[in-house]
């Protein structure tokens, strides 16, 4: 049986990245924190923390952190059943990881429904869809939207649908930079707008267009989906946007497709626990329903 006091001390160190800050939060000495962590590591015969700045969990620590998150939610679910009046006043901290393009499009429908749930104190962690899974592995979040179809042990990867991207620019940008279409030299010279350095979607798009990898082209990194769209609208560059996000701009001819019919499809999955506490079951239902009502369920031809 794992010692709950030691578990919460360990979680506090991970969440605050420091033995000192964990001690202050727990209202104990730093020495007491160190003793609890050592006792926990000894009981498991595993090193759980990398003593760096900030302190981070080892791979064993990541596994244990996921356990602590689950334990907290299960405890809150039990207390809700046993002492409903107590839990009406207490919100459960819940962290989930979402890709920025989902947040800018379909996920907002789910977000407002989730925030209406008085029993949840939500932390939304934003990352590239290819990297949200890392947050789940580290125990930073209890669920995530990801492109990964394989679930970790104890988790389920539930299909959400296909997010479709197309390449856009203003008509003026297209005339100036691509008068003869999307040629290789033009692509090397024209500024592209990407989300961040993790974003490989534009690279994949160019490889699909040309049949080989294109690396050395001009890039703007703007890690906010609305800012990225705004940059394209202002003629600062061209780039890939969710078709749903750009729909209105295309209808008014503010943006045009540079490669009509060329669609980049990203399949999204909701990673959740196999056995979910009630409060998280409701969140899963809201997320899945919002996605399936908006996202394509079959990729475009």
């Amino acid at each position: 049986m794992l010692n709950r006091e030691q578990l919460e001390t360990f979680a506090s160190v991970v969440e605050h990245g420091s033995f000192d800050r964990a001690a202050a939060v727990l209202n104990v000495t730093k020495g007491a924190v160190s003793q609890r962590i050592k006792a926990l590591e000894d009981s498991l015969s595993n090193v759980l923390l990398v003593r760096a700045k900030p302190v981070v969990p080892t791979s064993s620590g990541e596994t244990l952190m996921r356990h602590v998150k689950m334990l907290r939610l299960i405890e809150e679910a039990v207390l809700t059943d046993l002492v409903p009046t107590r839990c009406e006043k207490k919100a459960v901290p819940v962290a989930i990881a979402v890709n920025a393009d989902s947040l800018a499009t379909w996920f907002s429908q789910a977000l407002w429904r989730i925030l209406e749930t008085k029993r949840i104190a939500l932390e939304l962690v934003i990352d590239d869809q290819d990297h949200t899974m890392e947050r789940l592995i580290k125990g930073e979040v209890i669920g995530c939207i990801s492109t990964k179809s394989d679930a970790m042990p104890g988790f389920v990867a539930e299909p959400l649908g296909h997010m479709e991207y197309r390449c856009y620019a203003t008509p003026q940008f297209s005339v100036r930079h691509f008068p003869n279409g999307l040629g290789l030299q033009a692509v090397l010279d024209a500024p592209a707008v990407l989300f961040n350095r993790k974003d490989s979607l534009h690279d994949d798009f160019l490889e699909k267009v040309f049949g080989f990898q294109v690396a050395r082209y001009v890039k703007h990194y703007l890690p906010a989906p609305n800012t990225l769209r705004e940059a394209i609208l202002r003629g600062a560059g061209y780039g890939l946007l969710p078709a749903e996000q750009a729909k209105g701009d295309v209808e008014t001819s503010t943006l045009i497709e540079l490669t009509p019919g060329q669609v980049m499809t990203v399949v999204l999955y909701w990673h959740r626990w196999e056995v979910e506490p009630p409060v998280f079951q409701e969140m899963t239902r809201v997320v899945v329903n919002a996605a399936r009502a908006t996202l394509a369920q079959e990729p475009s031809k």
Side-chain angles (χ1 to χ4, degrees):
M1 180 72 69
L2 295 171
N3 182 292
R4 186 60 188 274
E5 182 181 68
Q6 293 170 2
L7 287 177
E8 287 299 334
T9 301
F10 161 76
S12 185
V13 172
V14 173
E15 289 166 345
H16 297 283
S18 161
F19 280 68
D20 288 321
R21 286 197 288 273
V25 170
L26 296 171
N27 197 27
V28 297
T29 65
K30 181 181 177 182
V33 170
S34 296
Q35 288 174 4
R36 292 176 188 177
I37 297 298
K38 184 178 186 305
L40 182 60
E41 290 181 326
D42 288 345
S43 70
L44 294 171
S45 300
N46 263 289
V47 176
L48 300 173
L49 297 170
V50 178
R51 274 73 167 175
K53 291 186 178 180
V55 177
V56 294
T58 62
S59 58
S60 297
E62 290 170 355
T63 300
L64 189 62
M65 194 63 194
R66 293 196 298 271
H67 170 75
V68 174
K69 298 263 187 179
M70 173 63 106
L71 195 62
R72 287 171 174 174
L73 284 176
I74 291 173
E75 183 177 272
E76 289 298 333
V78 171
L79 288 173
T80 298
D81 288 340
L82 296 179
V83 194
T85 54
R86 172 192 177 279
C87 292
E88 283 174 4
K89 302 176 182 178
K90 186 175 181 181
V92 182
V94 172
I96 59 175
V98 179
N99 61 308
D101 287 334
S102 287
L103 182 60
T105 52
W106 67 270
F107 188 80
S108 60
Q109 300 173 37
L111 177 60
W112 309 134
R113 293 287 303 278
I114 292 169
L115 291 177
E116 289 171 1
T117 305
K118 300 295 189 294
R119 290 164 52 205
I120 288 178
L122 182 66
E123 179 183 358
L124 210 57
V125 178
I126 310 301
D127 208 337
D128 182 84
Q129 61 261 19
D130 293 335
H131 297 271
T132 50
M133 190 73 171
E134 295 169 13
R135 307 281 191 151
L136 188 65
I137 292 170
K138 292 178 180 178
E140 295 176 15
V141 300
I142 60 170
C144 72
I145 294 170
S146 172
T147 55
K148 311 296 184 185
S149 59
D150 295 331
M152 294 188 302
F155 284 78
V156 172
E158 195 155 354
L160 295 176
H162 299 77
M163 198 160 199
E164 298 183 345
Y165 292 77
R166 297 173 187 261
C167 190
Y168 300 100
T170 63
Q172 298 85 353
F173 186 95
S174 178
V175 169
R176 185 165 66 252
H177 291 277
F178 304 120
N180 300 312
L182 219 66
L184 179 58
Q185 189 57 53
V187 162
L188 294 176
D189 294 336
V193 186
L194 285 70
F195 182 71
N196 62 20
R197 291 183 180 275
K198 296 178 182 178
D199 184 2
S200 64
L201 190 62
H202 201 99
D203 288 348
D204 296 340
F205 166 72
L206 292 179
E207 185 173 359
K208 185 176 181 180
V209 170
F210 295 108
F212 53 85
Q213 291 185 344
V214 181
R216 295 185 177 181
Y217 56 93
V218 183
K219 304 169 187 177
H220 296 309
Y221 294 108
L222 302 176
N226 290 327
T227 304
L228 191 153
R229 171 179 165 270
E230 182 72 15
I232 295 173
L233 285 169
R234 289 178 177 271
Y238 76 104
L240 291 153
L241 293 172
E244 183 67 23
Q245 186 184 25
K247 184 178 179 181
D249 301 317
V250 173
E251 289 173 351
T252 59
S253 298
T254 309
L255 292 179
I256 60 170
E257 276 191 64
L258 293 177
T259 54
Q262 186 86 274
V263 181
M264 296 297 293
T265 301
V266 174
V267 186
L268 297 178
Y269 298 85
W270 172 242
H271 287 255
R272 61 171 179 82
W273 279 315
E274 285 180 328
V275 181
E276 295 180 306
V279 68
F280 201 53
Q281 288 175 10
E282 175 62 16
M283 182 184 294
T284 286
R285 186 186 66 79
V286 169
V287 170
V288 171
N289 287 347
R292 292 180 179 172
T294 307
L295 299 178
Q297 296 306 302
E298 294 293 337
S300 296
K301 303 296 184 182

